[in-house]
Amino acid sequence: MLIGVPTEIKNHEYRVGLTPASVRELAHHGHSVLVQAGAGAAIGLDDDRYEAAGAEIVPDAATVFARAEMVVKVKEPQPQECAMLRRGQILFTYLHLAPDPKQTRLLLDSGAVAIAYETVTDPRGGLPLLAPMSEVAGRMSVQAGAHCLEKAQGGRGVLLGGVPGVPAAKVVVLGGGVVGTNAARMAMGLEAKVVVIDKSLPRLKELDLQFGAKLQTLYSTVDTIEEHVNDADLVIGAVLVPGAEAPKLVTKTMVERMRRGAVVVDVAIDQGGCFETSHPTTHAEPTYLVDGVVHYCVANMPGAVARTSTFALNNATLPFTLALADQGYRAALARDPHLRAGLNIHAGVVTCKAVADAQGLAHQPAEEALRL
């Protein structure tokens, strides 16, 4: 198979779909890889390293999209990239379609086979291609939140861990999954007072056993969220409904009642965000104020640590990329129900029910679509 890797063009996005090691592995399996010139240069993966691994360097994205049978990216395709997709071409990347009707329509019109990293599953019910970026985003959320709490950034002027004689900051984490666990771990490491709120009692028990008395775990209700968001210094939104739009757990009224200079970090913003006051921001302009509360809602947080993120992502995606290339997408999806769960759009129809439900579109199960 001929696989293409374009340079990412989203604001301050420096990750790259394949590392030189991944290219070498694909070449070892008999595949050919096109890499756009400079695709990995920002993170020290220069063109000569890709060439040494067996890739062909091409001058622009148009060449990648025109020639490749499968395009491997990191972030969702931008409108100009969607326009270059063609019927039957495989797109393997993060999509986050539920809150993005425009991208959904462009992909439907293209006729491409769009497989989303974030809805691929594993035998334990996890999301193996989302997990590494969730780990990064969870850890970064505390780093970003601590910075935003500084007075110069519009925050309250609070140090997360306090100092002897001065209380530590209160950090509230909404969601106890991969993002929430990593956020809690980092916040506790900085000696903040940390509360995790989740609706899964088994998950809360696991967190309690893992972290003990250092972490307060609470069952999620509107009352609990309202009470603890109200007096928090930092609130991290870490909820996820796979493939679907994130639930709005924190209302505008709750934000109005928060302390002036408090910070919210909405890691769920890729799926629409879990604060009513959230809207996507970029690394160039990461924050804005609503009722005196600093909002950090960068939609590609792991892009800020692009080198770490690229290698972590490739570790997870490479086996699936190889399966698609070795077997062809129809055979690979037919044989592996977990990879099949990643199919969001196929030849002009929506095959992910959560996306269809979020946008009021017709849904065709992936099994049916693949038989056509």
Side-chain angles (χ1 to χ4, degrees):
M1 183 179 285
L2 182 56
I3 299 152
V5 181
T7 300
E8 296 293 325
I9 59 175
K10 193 162 185 171
N11 181 277
H12 283 277
E13 181 55 74
Y14 306 110
R15 289 174 288 181
V16 62
L18 294 175
T19 63
S22 296
V23 168
R24 185 178 180 186
E25 197 68 20
L26 285 159
H28 180 70
H29 282 242
H31 306 294
S32 300
V33 182
L34 306 173
V35 176
Q36 184 179 347
I43 56 172
L45 302 178
D46 297 325
D47 291 348
D48 57 355
R49 293 186 61 182
Y50 281 104
E51 286 185 304
E56 177 187 349
I57 305 300
V58 297
D60 51 36
T63 305
V64 172
F65 280 87
R67 292 177 55 189
E69 298 170 80
M70 174 165 65
V71 175
V72 178
K73 283 176 41 63
V74 178
K75 289 305 293 178
E76 68 278 359
Q78 302 304 294
Q80 60 266 48
E81 293 175 311
C82 289
M84 292 187 282
L85 290 166
R86 63 180 184 271
R87 180 164 292 276
Q89 189 173 39
I90 306 163
L91 174 66
F92 194 33
T93 189
Y94 287 116
L95 293 176
H96 301 292
L97 290 177
D100 193 351
K102 181 179 179 181
Q103 185 198 169
T104 302
R105 176 46 53 193
L106 290 171
L107 290 176
L108 287 169
D109 291 345
S110 75
V113 179
I115 304 171
Y117 292 159
E118 73 272 9
T119 59
V120 173
T121 59
D122 66 24
R124 299 178 301 279
L127 302 169
L129 307 191
L130 189 62
M133 295 304 93
S134 295
E135 291 167 351
V136 171
R139 296 178 184 211
M140 279 194 66
S141 67
V142 175
Q143 183 174 301
H147 181 60
C148 291
L149 276 170
E150 295 172 12
K151 196 64 185 172
Q153 309 306 316
R156 298 189 69 220
V158 171
L159 182 66
L160 275 192
V163 292
V166 180
K170 179 176 179 179
V171 178
V172 175
V173 182
L174 303 175
V178 177
V179 171
T181 300
N182 280 272
R185 178 181 172 186
M186 293 296 284
M188 285 186 290
L190 291 172
E191 299 186 356
K193 178 184 177 183
V194 185
V195 177
V196 172
I197 300 175
D198 197 284
K199 65 179 182 180
S200 168
L201 287 175
R203 184 58 189 149
L204 292 176
K205 183 176 181 179
E206 290 170 358
L207 290 169
D208 183 69
L209 291 171
Q210 181 176 353
F211 296 115
K214 291 173 63 179
L215 177 66
Q216 183 179 7
T217 58
L218 294 171
Y219 182 73
S220 180
T221 64
V222 172
D223 192 66
T224 300
I225 293 171
E226 185 175 69
E227 176 186 349
H228 288 275
V229 164
N230 188 54
D231 66 350
D233 296 292
L234 170 60
V235 183
I236 296 170
V239 296
L240 174 71
V241 180
E245 194 163 2
K248 296 293 188 284
L249 298 182
V250 178
T251 66
K252 189 176 189 305
T253 301
M254 292 180 194
V255 171
E256 288 172 357
R257 294 173 180 169
M258 290 178 69
R259 295 166 168 169
R260 302 308 87 178
V263 175
V264 301
V265 177
D266 198 343
V267 186
I269 195 65
D270 269 333
Q271 296 294 135
C274 60
F275 298 82
E276 281 189 349
T277 48
S278 291
H279 64 74
T281 61
T282 68
H283 288 293
E285 296 182 35
T287 63
Y288 59 92
L289 288 174
V290 176
D291 295 315
V293 176
V294 181
H295 286 58
Y296 181 100
C297 304
V298 175
N300 59 329
M301 286 178 64
V305 287
R307 186 176 175 91
T308 296
S309 297
T310 292
F311 284 96
L313 181 60
N314 268 247
N315 289 342
T317 57
L318 181 58
F320 295 96
T321 305
L322 283 168
L324 290 166
D326 288 346
Q327 302 168 32
Y329 84 88
R330 286 184 181 273
L333 297 181
R335 292 177 184 176
D336 185 350
H338 302 294
L339 180 55
R340 189 164 64 243
L343 185 65
N344 278 214
I345 288 177
H346 181 270
V349 298
V350 178
T351 55
C352 177
K353 190 173 187 304
V355 171
D357 289 348
Q359 298 183 20
L361 298 173
H363 165 250
Q364 184 175 42
E367 295 81 359
E368 290 183 16
L370 291 167
R371 286 199 292 267
L372 297 178

